[in-house]
Amino acid sequence: MTCQLSVVVPTPAHSTLGGPLSYRSEFPLAPGTLVRVPLGRRELLGVVWDPEAQFDNAAPEYELKPIAGVLDGIAPLTARWRELVSFAASYYQRGLGEVALMALPPQLRGLSAEQVARRMKRTAGPAPATAGQIAAAPTPEQAAALDAFEAGTGCFLLFGATGSGKTEVYLQAVQRLFEREPQAQALVMVPEINLTPQLEERFVARFGAADVVSLHSGMTHPQRLKSWLAAHSGAARVVLGTRMAVFASMPGLKLIVVDEEHDPSYKQQEGARYSARDLAVYRGRLEGAKVLLGSATPSLESWQACEKGRYTRLVMPSRIGQAQLPKVRLVDMNLQPHKTVFSPQLLDAVSQRIARGEQSLVFLNRRGYAPVLACTACDWKSECPNCSAFRVFHKIDRTLRCHHCGFTERVPRACPLCGNVDIAPVGRGTERLEESLAQLLAGTRRPGGEPVRIARMDADTTRLKGSLEVQLAQVHAGEVDVLVGTQMITKGHDFRRITLVAALNADSALFSADFRAPERLFGLLMQAAGRAGRDAIQSGSSEMWVQTFHPTHPLFAALRQHDYPAFAAQQLKEREQAGMPPFGFQALVRADARTQEGAQAFLAAAAAAAAGIEAADRVMLYSPVPMSVQRVANVERAQMLVESASRAALQRFLAAWHPVLQATREKGMIRWAVDVDPLAI
């Protein structure tokens, strides 16, 4: 007997083959089974899909290709997992096979049945119970939050001050789940890879190494495969991961935790542009699992969902023990001499911390030595030849490096245009900031008389494997007096010795054209402030310093009071008046072409052809415009905003518009993509 199967494979994003393909099998296979199938000259990994997803169950007029093999040792992916993938592909306007295969570990695609069987043996059966660290008694606020979480259903937002012990709430929520259901699984998500090691350490200490696995893009292919198999088989009870972990196959999933749920890193920016936080909420409904979103500065979407009663808000306003939130001090840079980098007041405060043996954190969200190198005699600047952006000067290796396309050159000895040897850095990055601080603090001594120790932590210094862990260990051990870095050091880290946090150049987002910029800035500053004073003994003297040219801005007034609810209320009022998310819904269509004219012409033609399609009368299409960085790697980029007051109407429009976009593509176009619920416009 010959069976016809529907199989999803990773077809190209812009091909017309977005759904399952039909193949022949000598025996029936359950939906969710992993198979190998031929496609063109290649053999690909595919997933058997539900029969109703077939194009035609009748006998085809052409000869179907047979499947090439079955990965027998791996249990089929569940119906709920397939439903999650189907929803993500539909909502974010991507191919079904693209999303399904993106969610599977890459190494799975090249394994034989025998290799699969060997790897499954290593993860077979549930992990034995291991004696873990005994949990400390929860604080009254933690206990109240846990009790409310246990008693309720659906999605919860844990609104807790930095240092209030949200991680302990996550740990105890997982522990209570396992006590009720020993075979249950929990998914715990963090926004960035650098937060995974410290969280993994705490979960392993509580539940044992056999029960906890990680899933993130920083792992090797064999590591990811091992973790995925452990989760898929149920051997791993806790999966820790970044946004990609939302698609982890976990047949016993009963609890999903999304830490720092406001973080933009949960939104994928390439390929399938999905929001892992939003998919986590959807998956919770599918699986009948509780979802716990945690943040000291929640996204306005989640805050509004609580206001409307769709989520349950749990509040923990106090820090653990007697620890206090830091005092916020604003330095009016209008009163400082021109080109002042560190105000004398801030420098004195940092020096006092060093003399007392305390640590300070200084963050500037710009890596490199200087954002641009310029000639003092002519108009030459270190522009990238491939992008409409400047190459950043990195002094440590004397290079000019484009942070968009990666193009790197040695710093020229003289100006390429006029030959002037006096070319100088303009602006300041973390590398130059580190150098400036070393000079300014050269005469400062630690309590034992030793010179000050300054460290820098950004994408450049943590590039090598293991370097992040080494640097974090040095900070925790007190081997660093002043830590300089980008926003990666302001998120989630439990630095016990830091009593002063300073934010430089915080004004850049205040008057941005992006309506989300104030929300991101306030969240970043609040999170940064949360790194100070986490030790109760030192918290009374902890401070957050902000150097600004706009000290009377309402954002800073809310920051001084640590008053997120007031800030959220003001922002939501403005957005409601403007019809912006979460009161309206958006999508961006991005186009890449050989020329800017070609990219915009494609978008204009697609907009003109959209007039007669479903729900077009309920959707607003704006004119095409260049992207903020309009050329990257010699590819011109343009975008067009699509808005609607109805999410359902926007989705119907986008689904009907997709074939139009396919048909509109012309010569010179490289690619196009739809970004639903964009975070940056």
Side-chain angles (χ1 to χ4, degrees), residues 10-76:
T11 51
H14 302 297
S15 73
T16 55
L17 304 175
L21 305 180
S22 295
Y23 287 90
R24 175 166 48 87
S25 173
E26 295 180 0
F27 43 85
L29 294 173
T33 301
L34 295 173
V35 293
R36 275 199 192 78
V37 294
L39 184 67
R41 298 181 179 179
R42 297 180 298 161
E43 189 175 286
L44 303 176
L45 181 69
V47 183
V48 177
W49 220 249
D50 303 88
E52 59 267 23
Q54 291 182 196
F55 293 125
D56 184 5
N57 284 319
E61 298 177 359
Y62 50 87
E63 183 69 22
L64 291 178
K65 290 184 178 181
I67 62 171
V70 181
L71 275 67
D72 291 315
I74 299 177

Side-chain angles (χ1 to χ4, degrees), residues 129-282:
T130 51
Q133 185 184 73
I134 298 174
T139 67
E141 287 183 1
Q142 289 173 332
L146 283 162
D147 291 343
F149 181 70
E150 290 288 305
T153 58
C155 184
F156 297 78
L157 175 64
L158 180 59
F159 172 46
T162 52
S164 61
K166 292 187 290 293
T167 303
E168 183 59 32
V169 172
Y170 306 154
L171 286 160
Q172 298 219 18
V174 173
Q175 189 168 326
R176 292 186 184 190
L177 170 67
F178 291 165
E179 289 169 356
R180 289 195 312 271
E181 302 180 58
Q183 301 303 315
Q185 291 177 295
L187 171 62
V188 182
M189 295 169 59
V190 292
E192 295 185 5
I193 293 172
N194 64 60
L195 296 178
T196 308
Q198 66 178 32
L199 195 65
E200 184 174 20
E201 185 179 324
R202 292 192 62 176
F203 271 85
V204 167
R206 186 69 56 89
F207 301 108
D211 278 349
V212 181
V213 298
S214 291
L215 270 177
H216 56 76
S217 58
M219 303 170 71
T220 63
H221 286 346
Q223 288 172 333
R224 278 178 63 179
L225 177 62
K226 183 179 180 181
S227 292
W228 186 89
L229 289 172
H232 178 66
S233 67
R237 295 198 296 170
V238 179
V239 174
L240 303 176
T242 51
R243 60 176 175 259
M244 64 182 293
V246 75
F247 290 109
S249 175
M250 301 175 67
L253 184 61
K254 296 296 181 184
L255 171 62
I256 304 175
V257 173
V258 184
D259 190 26
E260 308 292 359
E261 65 87 27
H262 66 280
D263 199 290
S265 299
Y266 282 120
K267 181 71 187 288
Q268 172 76 15
Q269 295 299 334
E270 296 294 334
R273 291 168 165 83
Y274 63 90
S275 165
R277 179 200 65 210
D278 295 346
L279 286 180
V281 176
Y282 182 83

Side-chain angles (χ1 to χ4, degrees), residues 442-589:
T444 306
R445 290 290 180 267
R446 305 182 68 247
E450 308 95 336
V452 65
R453 298 170 299 187
I454 301 173
R456 174 167 54 92
M457 193 181 296
D458 54 29
D460 295 324
T461 64
T462 58
R463 185 174 289 119
L464 297 178
K465 186 175 179 61
S467 58
L468 173 66
E469 289 79 2
V470 170
Q471 286 186 297
L472 287 174
Q474 290 174 341
V475 178
H476 289 304
E479 297 173 12
V480 173
D481 300 308
V482 182
L483 177 62
V484 177
T486 54
Q487 67 177 21
M488 68 182 294
I489 64 175
T490 69
K491 301 177 181 179
H493 297 292
D494 188 20
F495 297 129
R496 309 301 297 182
R497 302 167 188 255
I498 287 178
T499 58
L500 183 146
V501 172
L504 309 186
N505 195 27
D507 293 342
S508 56
L510 288 178
F511 306 103
S512 169
D514 186 349
F515 70 92
R516 295 185 189 274
E519 178 187 2
R520 284 197 293 268
L521 175 60
F522 188 83
L524 179 61
L525 293 176
M526 283 276 285
Q527 293 289 333
R531 298 318 108 205
R534 298 174 79 89
D535 188 302
I537 298 175
Q538 299 175 327
S539 68
S541 60
S542 64
E543 294 177 339
M544 164 72 166
W545 287 67
V546 180
Q547 296 190 160
T548 174
F549 287 95
H550 305 279
T552 60
H553 195 282
L555 183 147
F556 294 126
L559 180 68
R560 295 187 73 167
Q561 301 299 319
H562 299 278
D563 193 348
Y564 174 82
F567 171 78
Q570 176 258 332
Q571 285 289 303
L572 286 170
K573 182 178 179 181
E574 289 183 5
R575 292 202 190 174
E576 186 173 19
Q577 292 170 344
M580 296 288 188
F583 302 98
F585 304 94
Q586 298 178 330
L588 275 179
V589 184

